[in-house]
Amino acid sequence: MFELLRKFFMEQFLQGFFVTSGLIIAIGAQNAFVLKQGLLKQNILSVILTCFICDIVLISLGVLGLGSLISQSPMAIVSLAFLGSTFLLFYGLKAFLSAYQGNASLALEEQENTPQRSIHAVIATLLITLLNPHVYLDTVVILGGIAGTLAFDEKLLFLGGSLLMSALWFFSLGYGARLLIPFFRRPITWRILDLVIGVIMWAIAISLIHYGITLFKTL
């Protein structure tokens, strides 16, 4: 009997783990930002912890059933979509300029971690994370919807699996990025990365604008 219960509860934990992995392991604005900070070795821990804390709050809201408050306010989602797209367009432009100038490799040698840069990195991480409606769709709507059919104890196990995956992913991405540093000794590699990041940011921004306009027409 105990073995059957253990297997049952572990299934909820693994379900949260693997569902979250499918949502979080994808090329997006947040992951691209964490990757670049990891490559530059700048404020990695601050950025990782900021991403993880955001996931703790948002996934908990979704899984424990409190996230429906957000989905009940379409105007708030529309506003968030346009704010997020504006920020991503700006950040994408910054990445394109960095690719054009080709000076990102110098940052690896010259910039140092300071409290001021750490604060700026945390603010940038919060903006990239919280101004993207897709974050709420993944954490609050999708994960919350899947966990909605579970009992409270099962939700806690589902939540534990989800948060474990989040922690493993961000720490692996941030600190594992240094393994790629030898490839980024050449300025051309940094230019390619900045170009890819710029394309990702603008693609997400355009999708948010389209999403916001479509949702606004339904109001």
Side-chain angles (χ1 to χ4, degrees):
M1 184 66 179
F2 175 80
E3 185 65 22
L4 290 175
L5 288 174
R6 186 185 66 82
K7 180 180 179 181
F8 175 77
F9 285 125
M10 281 302 295
E11 287 179 356
Q12 315 307 324
F13 185 89
L14 292 177
Q15 183 185 22
F17 184 90
F18 287 113
V19 170
T20 302
S21 69
L23 295 173
I24 201 173
I25 303 176
I27 297 177
Q30 187 186 54
N31 286 339
F33 182 77
V34 174
L35 176 63
K36 185 167 184 179
Q37 294 301 115
L39 288 169
L40 292 172
K41 296 183 179 179
Q42 294 175 8
N43 308 297
I44 305 174
L45 184 58
S46 298
V47 170
I48 290 173
L49 289 178
T50 302
C51 291
F52 182 53
I53 290 172
C54 286
D55 268 5
I56 290 176
V57 174
L58 294 176
I59 295 177
S60 296
L61 286 175
V63 171
L64 298 179
L66 301 177
S68 59
L69 294 176
I70 296 178
S71 60
Q72 291 175 357
S73 177
M75 182 55 71
I77 298 177
V78 169
S79 301
L80 196 63
F82 287 122
L83 283 173
S85 61
T86 300
F87 174 75
L88 290 175
L89 286 173
F90 171 78
Y91 194 91
L93 177 61
K94 183 179 178 181
F96 283 130
L97 290 175
S98 180
Y100 174 76
Q101 295 168 356
N103 58 2
S105 60
L106 298 177
L108 184 63
E109 305 294 339
E110 297 175 359
Q111 294 189 12
E112 299 179 356
N113 292 336
T114 64
Q116 185 176 11
R117 285 202 178 99
S118 180
I119 293 174
H120 289 165
V122 169
I123 293 174
T125 306
L126 288 172
L127 291 174
I128 288 174
T129 302
L130 300 180
L131 290 181
N132 185 358
H134 291 300
V135 171
Y136 301 96
L137 291 175
D138 289 345
T139 58
V140 176
V141 178
I142 296 179
L143 290 178
I146 294 174
T149 59
L150 303 176
F152 183 75
D153 290 343
E154 298 168 356
K155 288 181 178 181
L156 292 180
L157 288 168
F158 184 94
L159 177 62
S162 296
L163 295 181
L164 176 61
M165 180 61 223
S166 173
L168 289 176
W169 171 249
F170 285 121
F171 275 91
S172 298
L173 183 62
Y175 286 104
R178 62 186 60 191
L179 298 176
L180 301 175
I181 287 178
F183 298 99
F184 285 85
R185 295 293 180 184
R186 295 178 297 176
I188 184 62
T189 311
W190 279 102
R191 287 188 167 188
I192 293 174
L193 177 63
D194 281 325
L195 183 62
V196 170
I197 290 176
V199 170
I200 291 172
M201 298 296 181
W202 277 22
I204 296 174
I206 292 172
S207 69
L208 287 180
I209 292 173
H210 180 266
Y211 174 78
I213 293 175
T214 302
L215 186 59
F216 181 77
K217 289 180 179 179
T218 64
L219 297 178

